Every structure is written in C-alpha cells, then in structure tokens.
Amino acid sequence: MSDVYDVIVIGSGPAGYPAAIRAGQNKLKVACIDEWKNFDGSFAFGGTCLNAGCIPSKALLESSELYLRAKEEFATHGIKLGDIQLDLATMQKRRASVVKTMTTGITALFKANGVVGIQGHGKLLPGNKVLVTAADGSEKTLEARNVILASGSTPIRLKSVPHDGKYIIDSWNALELDAVPGRLGVIGAGVIGLELGSVWRRLGSAVTVLEAMDSFLPMADQTIAKEAQRHFKKQGLDIKLGAKVLSAKVSGAAVDVVYSDAQGEHTLQVDKLVVAVGRRPFTDGLLAEGTGVEVDQRGFIQVDEHCRTAVPNVWAVGDVVRGPMLAHKGKEEGCMVADLIAGKYGEVNYKVIPSVIYTAPEIAWVGLTEEQVKASGREYKVGTFPFAASGRARAMEAGAGMAKIISAKDDDEVLGVHVIGPMAGELIGEATLAMEYSASTEDIQRTMHAHPTLSEAIHEAALSVDKKAIDAINR
Ligand code: FAD
Ligand code: AMP
C-alpha cells in the first residue's frame, strides 16, 4: 500500500478524530496520528477530552453528586440509608473504565470508517509531508494531499507556582487523585476550576478557589452568574474574587500559597493546589522549519473561517486555533474541513456555540448575554422562568435556578438563552437549534412542550418574554 494519503490528521481529540472519520465517510484515504500517553504509559486515542477532560470530569461529577445526594437528599424522598461511605478507589475505577470504553470506541470507529490509526508523534514537514516518530524512536515519512493539524491544547503553568504533579497539580492530576485532600486550593474560577472544585468539595474537601478577577464568570450572563455564585457559596465553595495568586511553595506535605487582594497579601495553606488558569494551544514539535504555517504570539495556528492555514491544503481545527476551547466546536470544525476537502459544502456557525458548566446547579447558555445585547445598542426583551415553578423540577427536588431568554424588540429573534438549573446542558440543545434556525420567541411559544418536563422552563421563559407565562407570575 502506498503511503500517499488524501488526508493525514495530526491529533485524535474531539477535533481530530471526527475529521478523520468524516474523511473516511467521504471515501478519502485517511490516517490519524496521535502520541497521547496516559499516566500508566498506555496509549489512547481521544485526546484531552476523552482521557483527561470532558469525559473523566463528567464521570466524577456524576459519582460525587450521587454521593452527596445520597447523604443529603435521599432522606427527603423517604429513602433511609445506613452509614454512607465513600469508596474512592471504586469511584476512580469507574471513571477509568468509562474513559477506556470511550477511547477504545474510537479505535472501532476508525476501523468501521477506514481510518488508519497511527501511534506516534507527527511533525509537518514542508511540502505536505508528515514525519511520524514511533514510541521506539523509528521514523517514517508519509505524504498527504491534505494535512489537518488538530494538536489541541495543554494546561497553562504559572512560573511562580511550580507544577510537581503531586502537591501542585493540573486538572488532569486532579481527576486522578487517590485520596480526598483535606484542604484543596484551586487557582482560577473558570469552568474547569469550578467543576473540579465541586467534585472534591462533594467528596469532603474544604475547597478554596482563588480568582484574580473581581467579577464571577464574566463570560456568562450576569443574572445567571450571580445566581450561581449564591448557590456555590451556600454549598460551601469558598470562592475568593479579586485574589491574585503571587506564588506557591510545597512545604512538607502541604502547599503554602501567597495571594493578594484589596486588603493586601495573605497566605493560605492547602494539601493540594490545582492550577486551573486556562489552557494554551499545543504546537510543541508540530511544525518543522519552513512549513509556512503561521502561529500567533499566543501560540494559536492562524486560520480563516474555514480553518485554512496560510499553506494550501494544510488546515487546523480545535483548541489549537482561535475560538472557544470546546470539544463540540472542534468537532464541527473537523467535520467541516473533511467535507471541504471532499469538495462538499461546509461551514461552522461561530455565533451559535453552546457552553455548559457541569456544576450543580448546571449552567448553560447559547448566544449573547444581556450585557452583550445592551452594549450592542439593540433594543431587547427578556423573559425568565424559575425552576421553582416547574412541576418536574420540584419532583426531582431540583427547583433551584431559572431559564432566561433575550430576544430582539424589533423582530423577536432569539438573541441568547441562559439556563441555570437541572439538566441545563441538555435544555440548551433546544435553544441552540432554535437559534441555528433564527427562531423568534414566538416560534418557541407556539411549539408544544411535553408536560411535565424541564423543557417547559424554556417554553415558559419564551412566553414570559411577552408577559404570557402561564405557570409563573409575569414581571
Ligand atoms: P485535544 O483534545 O487536546 O487533542 C489533541 C490530541 O493531539 C492529543 O491527543 C495529543 O496527544 C495529540 N497531539 C498533539 N500534538 C501531536 C503531535 N505532534 N503528534 C501526534 N499527536 C499529537 N470541553 C467541552 O466541550 N465540554 C466539557 O465538558 C469539557 N470539559 C473539560 C474538562 C477538563 C478538565 C478539561 C481539561 C477540558 C475540558 N474541555 C471540555 C475542553 C476540551 O477537552 C477541549 O476543548 C478539547 O479536548 C479540544 O479538542 P482538540 O481535538 O482540539 O484537542
Ligand atoms: P479559564 O480560562 O476559563 O479556565 O479560567 C481561568 C481563570 O484563572 C481566569 O478567570 C483567570 O482570571 C484566573 N487566573 C489566572 N491567573 C491567576 C492567578 N495568578 N491567580 C488567580 N487567578 C488567576
């Protein structure tokens, strides 16, 4: 078999593996190269998302939430349990097994779609060639008509907070702890910091989150952010805003953290410190001299709206290019590129990208926040519906939170949908589809929603935009 491929994908995360599969579906000859190594040295496809991100974090969020509910909520349902104990080893075994099922699933999907999966490091050479270095050091050069770079991202490290993988750790380490830290520090109140902080708080840690900015979740609608902050505080997550970490040092079996806020400098001692200050695009060893692929100052590969780099037939998708670092954004880009290569139509609607924070209550949104709409100068209407008025949410003992819809005053187009409450991440699917179709709130108002479901909250919020909510008082 000749080594000239129609497409070579470097990286098998949620941007790369869908690109490879779609290329296979498009009858292109395709290979996907990855070098991922787990802590135990085993190889896996799936990238950050499957091995160290979305999937293991959701597995632990689910387990830890069940543990907490068994302890704090089941009695309300009339379910009496004896002494509830945490078996962290089993919980972690389940997390690992969920991950393993998903990553081995990719191998099966590659086979079914004719994708050649290759373990090793891929380096783009000038002239659309890819140098593959296997784990044993052997090298092979492959040729491709198209190369898709999907090398993803890696956690940002702080120089003054030196990572040691044991006491000062990153998000991946924090997912694989084998004991519950008594005191856990988290630097950064972003999505990852809040999710990891929630997991370990539920399992018993005293969690302090240090966030340099004064505002909480500035990227979210501020009505929702304020509601979230109130719930997290009530749960016992100690989130310190305006607290910039200056340095941290391991001392004995603990970490001394120095941070400053409006009151001055403080020291905090914790047993583990998670650095969750964001991620940077990962291009280490990816590009040989003279490929012509441009990388900006922050390390992102430069692409146009169709993910084309400056070099003909070299594309880049996912976390390594501009835009939100989200698995589903990368997936859409990967599929778009594989379709464009096959001569088909492809585009990504960057205006309609859902975001989800898998805390409890869950937070999800799509489109513009009220602050963004206000700043745009466009006149708008707002409708809200509290889950406290939802029969299904009440039945689930999950009446906290709300759904909020913002629509244009002139043509009623839905501009943004924001949910904090049960299954917010699932509910945002309907809103995303509505926005993809440029729906008006009237479209949602006239769509029948099953009763009793959580989705009625979206329906009622749409009705509330025109003060026509039935199950809550219109304000
Ligand atoms: P990655 O998933 O990072 O994959 C890149 C792959 O490329 C890796 O396997 C790497 O080994 C490989 N690679 C890199 N360079 C080379 C090379 N030169 N040769 C061979 N292989 C190479 N996003 C969500 O949408 N929802 C979530 O719930 C969510 N939760 C998250 C939780 C955590 C704790 C973290 C850390 C992230 C989370 N994310 C979530 C973000 C999500 O994981 C990323 O947006 C997503 O993984 C990006 O996909 P990607 O394919 O671009 O890159
Ligand atoms: P995200 O990029 O959404 O993962 O969030 C990372 C968060 O970490 C941001 O809100 C940053 O403001 C915060 N952050 C970055 N550096 C520091 C620091 N030295 N101390 C405290 N917070 C920080």
Side-chain angles (χ1 to χ4, degrees):
M1 192 167 89
S2 124
D3 275 342
V4 182
Y5 288 91
D6 293 315
V7 183
I8 291 179
V9 186
I10 302 181
S12 72
Y17 87 76
I21 289 173
R22 177 58 57 83
Q25 289 167 347
N26 287 335
K27 307 284 175 249
L28 298 169
K29 187 178 168 193
V30 53
C32 184
I33 306 165
D34 205 303
E35 63 181 351
W36 186 276
K37 281 270 155 40
N38 286 306
F39 289 134
D40 65 2
S42 62
F43 170 82
F45 288 119
T48 306
C49 171
L50 274 76
N51 292 288
C54 323
I55 303 306
S57 60
K58 267 77 255 180
L60 285 186
L61 279 156
E62 188 66 28
S63 297
S64 58
E65 180 65 7
L66 284 176
Y67 172 67
L68 193 75
R69 288 179 66 196
K71 279 195 2 179
E72 295 184 352
E73 188 193 307
F74 280 20
T76 316
H77 294 268
I79 304 169
K80 283 193 181 167
L81 297 173
D83 184 24
I84 295 161
Q85 285 179 20
L86 173 66
D87 175 359
L88 184 61
T90 300
M91 197 178 276
Q92 290 291 33
K93 220 164 113 193
R94 191 194 85 98
R95 185 259 309 145
S97 123
V98 171
V99 166
K100 182 96 181 153
T101 307
M102 300 308 293
T103 56
T104 48
I106 295 183
T107 308
L109 291 171
F110 276 180
K111 206 165 158 215
N113 288 284
V115 178
V116 178
I118 300 174
Q119 295 178 24
H121 177 83
K123 182 181 221 167
L124 180 71
L125 307 175
N128 284 10
K129 290 190 174 64
V130 175
L131 176 69
V132 182
T133 309
D136 64 6
S138 61
E139 291 185 341
K140 191 173 170 183
T141 301
L142 306 177
E143 281 183 56
R145 293 183 183 88
N146 291 273
V147 178
I148 304 176
L149 306 171
S151 53
S153 62
T154 190
I156 292 175
R157 303 245 199 264
L158 298 173
K159 273 205 189 83
S160 56
V161 185
H163 175 92
D164 68 359
K166 190 167 179 207
Y167 298 104
I168 298 179
I169 60 181
D170 62 20
S171 56
W172 190 8
N173 303 124
L175 288 166
E176 305 210 2
L177 295 178
D178 57 10
V180 179
R183 300 163 298 175
L184 180 75
V186 179
I187 312 180
V191 177
I192 294 174
L194 289 174
E195 290 186 2
L196 290 171
S198 294
V199 164
W200 293 107
R201 181 198 64 77
R202 293 169 190 169
L203 298 181
S205 298
V207 178
T208 308
V209 183
L210 301 166
E211 168 55 56
M213 281 186 296
D214 291 320
S215 56
F216 184 61
L217 293 177
M219 67 293 202
D221 186 280
Q222 285 305 292
T223 314
I224 305 295
K226 284 197 178 73
E227 174 89 3
Q229 197 178 0
R230 198 169 62 76
H231 285 290
F232 297 152
K233 192 171 175 192
K234 213 165 86 189
Q235 291 166 3
L237 257 190
D238 183 6
I239 302 172
K240 295 189 191 304
L241 297 178
K244 185 172 167 46
V245 173
L246 304 174
S247 65
K249 204 170 72 212
V250 177
S251 102
V255 187
D256 291 323
V257 189
V258 180
Y259 68 93
S260 70
D261 62 15
Q263 279 74 49
E265 254 180 55
H266 310 269
T267 306
L268 172 77
Q269 192 173 69
V270 292
D271 300 304
K272 301 265 183 203
L273 178 64
V274 187
V275 180
V277 296
R279 299 177 62 81
R280 65 170 175 86
F282 181 74
T283 52
D284 299 5
L286 178 70
L287 306 167
E289 279 290 305
T291 61
V293 172
E294 289 167 13
V295 175
D296 74 9
Q297 277 180 335
R298 294 193 301 155
F300 288 101
I301 295 177
Q302 297 287 282
V303 288
D304 67 10
E305 77 274 21
H306 288 115
C307 294
R308 287 187 176 90
T309 69
V311 183
N313 304 325
V314 177
W315 315 70
V317 295
D319 280 10
V320 80
V321 303
R322 83 282 173 268
M325 287 185 166
L326 292 170
H328 41 282
K329 173 263 194 185
K331 179 183 186 182
E332 291 307 312
E333 289 180 333
C335 291
M336 166 182 75
V337 168
D339 282 340
L340 290 172
I341 289 172
K344 297 182 175 176
Y345 178 77
E347 70 164 358
V348 171
N349 182 358
Y350 288 98
K351 287 190 182 148
V352 183
I353 300 178
S355 295
V356 185
I357 309 178
Y358 295 82
T359 46
E362 208 161 279
I363 301 165
W365 70 92
V366 61
L368 300 176
T369 62
E370 186 172 351
E371 292 74 29
Q372 288 169 330
V373 178
K374 199 179 272 174
S376 76
R378 193 163 178 191
E379 287 199 75
Y380 64 94
K381 308 180 276 184
V382 176
T384 58
F385 182 78
F387 281 104
S390 153
R392 185 71 199 275
R394 286 281 186 185
M396 292 167 68
E397 198 59 27
M402 70 173 92
K404 171 174 176 178
I405 298 189
I406 305 156
S407 74
K409 208 163 207 172
D410 47 10
D411 63 3
D412 194 35
E413 184 181 356
V414 177
L415 301 175
V417 180
H418 306 268
V419 183
I420 176 166
M423 297 283 169
E426 301 300 325
L427 295 178
I428 212 66
E430 173 185 357
T432 308
L433 187 66
M435 288 193 66
E436 189 64 38
Y437 287 3
S438 306
S440 61
T441 48
E442 187 182 347
D443 291 323
I444 302 177
Q445 289 170 359
R446 292 189 184 282
T447 302
M448 199 181 295
H449 288 68
H451 175 77
T453 59
L454 297 173
S455 72
E456 287 172 294
I458 301 287
H459 189 215
E460 287 283 325
L463 290 166
S464 148
V465 165
D466 292 321
K467 311 237 177 297
K468 294 196 295 191
I470 301 296
D471 290 327
I473 297 162
N474 291 289
R475 291 177 205 282

